Amino acid sequence: MATNKVVICGAGFLGSYIAHQFARNPQYIIHLASRAPYPLHDRIIRQGRSEQPSPEPPHISRFGQPFQLDVTKPVTLKPAFESADTVVSLVGVLHGTQRQFEEIQWKGAQNVATAAKEAGARLIHVSAIGADPNSSIPYFRTKGLAEEFVRQEVPDAVIIRPSLIFGPGDGFFARFAALSRFLPFLPVFGGGSTRFQPVYAGDIARFMDLSTRPGSNISHHTAGKVIEAGGPEVFTYREMMELVLKYTGRKRPILSLPFVVGKAQGFVLEKLPTNLLTVTRDQVEQLKNDNVAKDNSFLDLLVQGDGSGPTSIHQILPTYL
């Protein structure tokens, strides 16, 4: 059986879900590639061996060597991408200076796209709802600039723009669940009316698999397209705090703070090392705009691809909060 080499460029939260999803298919050999790919690679192997006592469970054999690389240094990408059939680009940062956003999230994503093109690989590029090259927010601006380059350099690339991603290991619901242990209240800004469409990390991984799987019946609907990925339900920020309290079994008031107070907090906290309380001025500014998919194409394509619908947040949150 012919095998396809899949390189997952970014070994964080979402990368782990994508790796597990692709490993279910015997046609794939998966390579993790990032600045520090070994911890995730080793964890996947350990988990696999604990689940199946055989010397080499089948899904473990689908992982090739990890590659250590730096997306800001194009020369480090070539060895990882050589002979790749698919490259998944998860290049991005949540916190950082304007220079870091530009070097990693814009120029780094460009380097990945160029290297994937040179290798003749299919490219899946993960962006974000709200990406806009003209945005005043560095996160959204550099996401938008990266998208522009990807569409020009690799016209058949699949660009996925997720809303808020949830699942065990996420940085939002798990974070506020932890905060609810010791904070006397949960904060929201500007009334907490900003809307989100949380999407399960496993559904994004499944969508990528369906988009690239040989013989897939949805690949022609995704190549060269920008797909905004949201889950089956829309929640306000306040409603998401209510979900955290519901599934942790805690009672806390939800206190609305003015945006100007959030900006003042961000001014101080963004200068400190990243921690559980970290919030930046840009993140507060982002909360002034809804984060909802423009249409249901992502949800429709999931069903069309394998007959299974999207995963509700109510199915997953109780398992890890």
Side-chain angles (χ1 to χ4, degrees):
M1 179 184 295
T3 57
N4 291 329
K5 177 180 177 179
V6 177
V7 179
I8 301 173
C9 192
F13 161 65
L14 182 56
S16 67
Y17 283 82
I18 297 167
H20 280 290
Q21 176 66 40
F22 276 80
R24 296 177 182 178
N25 192 324
Q27 293 177 289
Y28 297 134
I29 296 294
I30 301 105
H31 298 265
L32 303 178
S34 69
R35 286 193 176 191
Y38 301 103
L40 176 58
H41 177 86
D42 294 344
R43 187 167 76 248
I44 288 173
I45 300 302
R46 285 197 307 270
Q47 288 173 342
R49 287 180 177 153
S50 67
E51 292 167 2
Q52 301 184 44
S54 58
E56 190 176 13
H59 73 278
I60 290 178
S61 67
R62 291 171 200 151
F63 284 88
Q65 72 172 100
F67 290 96
Q68 189 169 16
L69 52 76
D70 183 340
V71 297
T72 67
K73 299 176 181 177
V75 69
T76 68
L77 304 180
K78 188 173 181 178
F81 291 10
E82 185 176 1
S83 302
D85 296 280
T86 300
V87 170
V88 179
S89 177
L90 302 173
V91 179
V93 290
L94 292 175
H95 312 289
T97 64
Q98 180 165 313
R99 180 178 178 182
Q100 287 172 321
F101 277 115
E102 290 179 353
E103 288 185 347
I104 298 172
Q105 198 155 265
W106 176 18
K107 301 299 178 59
Q110 287 187 0
N111 292 337
V112 170
T114 299
K117 179 181 180 180
E118 291 175 349
R122 177 190 298 110
L123 177 64
I124 302 176
H125 175 81
V126 177
S127 184
I129 289 178
D132 179 358
N134 298 311
S135 174
S136 62
I137 300 173
Y139 176 82
F140 287 136
R141 183 173 67 254
T142 52
K143 281 288 190 184
L145 289 168
E147 276 192 20
E148 281 190 337
F149 183 87
V150 167
R151 285 196 292 267
Q152 178 179 345
E153 188 77 358
V154 190
D156 63 347
V158 181
I159 297 176
I160 302 175
R161 293 179 174 177
S163 183
L164 183 68
I165 304 173
F166 70 89
D170 72 41
F172 183 85
F173 290 101
R175 176 192 180 196
F176 279 99
L179 287 171
S180 71
R181 294 192 188 102
F182 62 86
L183 286 183
F185 64 90
L186 288 183
V188 298
F189 296 105
S193 60
T194 309
R195 299 185 307 143
F196 291 82
Q197 194 173 353
V199 58
Y200 178 47
D203 285 345
I204 294 177
R206 182 159 60 98
F207 180 82
M208 291 183 181
D209 181 15
L210 292 169
S211 297
T212 58
R213 185 181 299 173
S216 165
N217 65 345
I218 71 167
S219 60
H220 62 287
H221 291 299
T222 60
K225 300 294 193 336
V226 177
I227 308 292
E228 295 202 340
E233 299 148 300
V234 174
F235 301 93
T236 65
Y237 199 96
R238 178 180 286 273
E239 288 170 339
M240 292 194 296
M241 294 300 98
E242 292 171 350
L243 289 175
V244 169
L245 294 173
K246 175 182 178 179
Y247 289 119
T248 57
R250 300 189 179 102
K251 293 185 178 180
R252 300 285 188 276
I254 298 173
L255 182 61
S256 176
L257 303 174
F259 284 116
V260 66
V261 172
K263 289 288 191 72
Q265 290 179 338
F267 179 78
V268 175
L269 294 174
E270 68 190 27
K271 293 177 170 59
L272 302 176
T274 302
N275 59 69
L276 198 59
L277 295 170
T278 297
V279 65
T280 69
R281 285 171 290 177
D282 285 343
Q283 288 174 330
V284 174
E285 186 67 24
Q286 289 174 34
L287 290 174
K288 294 181 179 180
N289 298 297
D290 289 341
N291 197 269
V292 176
K294 291 185 176 71
D295 57 49
N296 290 323
S297 59
F298 172 78
L299 303 176
D300 295 340
L301 288 168
L302 276 180
V303 175
Q304 184 178 334
D306 63 7
S308 299
T311 306
S312 168
I313 199 169
H314 299 288
Q315 295 173 252
I316 304 298
L317 283 193
T319 69
Y320 70 99
L321 294 190

